[in-house]
Amino acid sequence: MTGDSHAASGSATSGCTSCGNKGGCDHRKGAMFAAIDDALGRLYPTRRWDQRLDPVPGPASAAEYATELGRRLATKLGTLALVRRGGPDECCDYVYVLCLGRRPSIIEAREGVVSPAESWQESGGEAMLELHLRVALSTLAPFAAVQQVALAMTAAEGELVIEETPRTGVFDGILLPRMRGLVAVLAELGIRNLDFGDLTHPPDGFDGTAHSDRYGTPPVIANYLFYPQPCAAITTTVHALRS
């Protein structure tokens, strides 16, 4: 799967919803939870994970929102912002915001923007590690949720192994400046940022049996609004070392 990348020069702003001052965020929590409850009620009237009603498409598609979000983030944050379309089982698109790493990046190599071998050669044959803010942009409601993810690329037996490891939120202080700028861009586009830590538990009164049967774990709110896989699932891809 290929991605659309955007990059620009610029300076980052500062701050984050994970700044440690949760009391200052309490005034907006009620509205956020009300929006989540409303969306879940409309999308899952039977309150079953496997019985979803897809929303009526709006004037702009989710794909257009993702492309515009990537463009604005690259400009505002002065970094790579790569758009990856969600898979057939996912109800979101993604934007990866490069925070720590260099180009050509691992994410560009994995998504086919550059060849993995080219990215590896630029590294001098050394193991590579990147840190991103990964924005999941729901195709079901005007919601976004942000996780920090680490991408690592190593070589073994003529192959390049790329591993993506997400966390259930944004925790590292070095990411906070870009996180605040990211949230500001989401607000400009009218997209509500949902604190990821509030999406990692099952919604009350919903039947997630079908999800548990498929994934071995009950679905959490994020699985109803963004993607079905566990929120901290590690993804591994393998590529030929020679292009």
Side-chain angles (χ1 to χ4, degrees), residues 2-213:
T2 59
D4 304 322
S5 60
H6 306 268
S9 60
S11 58
T13 56
S14 61
C16 179
T17 52
S18 298
C19 65
N21 184 25
K22 285 297 185 183
C25 297
D26 286 345
H27 68 281
R28 66 177 179 81
K29 286 284 188 173
M32 184 187 77
F33 289 131
I36 291 173
D37 289 343
D38 177 70
L40 290 176
R42 288 185 290 103
L43 295 167
Y44 300 91
T46 65
R47 303 177 78 82
R48 289 173 56 99
W49 175 80
D50 57 334
Q51 295 180 355
R52 186 182 75 218
L53 296 179
D54 288 331
V56 177
S61 69
E64 291 172 327
Y65 274 113
T67 299
E68 179 62 12
L69 177 61
R71 186 189 67 79
R72 293 197 188 193
L73 288 175
T75 299
K76 186 176 184 68
L77 303 182
T79 190
L80 173 73
L82 184 141
V83 177
R84 179 174 75 79
R85 304 304 174 190
D89 293 334
E90 297 176 313
C91 44
C92 70
D93 291 326
Y94 300 93
V95 181
Y96 286 75
V97 179
L98 179 63
C99 296
L100 287 177
R102 58 148 190 84
R103 301 186 68 188
S105 64
I106 299 174
I107 190 65
E108 289 174 291
R110 194 187 72 179
E111 299 304 319
V113 178
V114 300
S115 76
E118 175 187 347
S119 183
W120 181 255
Q121 290 165 2
E122 288 289 334
S123 76
E126 298 290 335
M128 297 172 61
L129 180 67
E130 294 174 357
L131 203 57
H132 294 255
L133 292 173
R134 186 182 75 182
V135 187
L137 190 63
S138 179
T139 59
L140 303 176
F143 294 156
V146 186
Q147 295 172 262
Q148 70 176 71
V149 299
L151 278 89
M153 182 160 67
T154 56
E157 300 180 353
E159 295 179 323
L160 292 173
V161 179
I162 298 177
E163 187 173 85
E164 177 177 341
T165 305
R167 298 184 66 184
T168 54
V170 179
F171 300 95
D172 290 354
I174 197 169
L175 302 177
L176 303 190
R178 280 183 172 158
M179 179 64 184
R180 178 171 289 173
L182 191 163
V183 171
V185 173
L186 289 172
E188 291 171 1
L189 290 172
I191 300 169
R192 183 185 293 274
N193 177 55
L194 306 181
D195 290 343
F196 207 92
D198 294 315
L199 307 180
T200 57
H201 59 85
D204 293 337
F206 280 72
D207 182 355
T209 302
H211 184 279
S212 298
D213 291 344

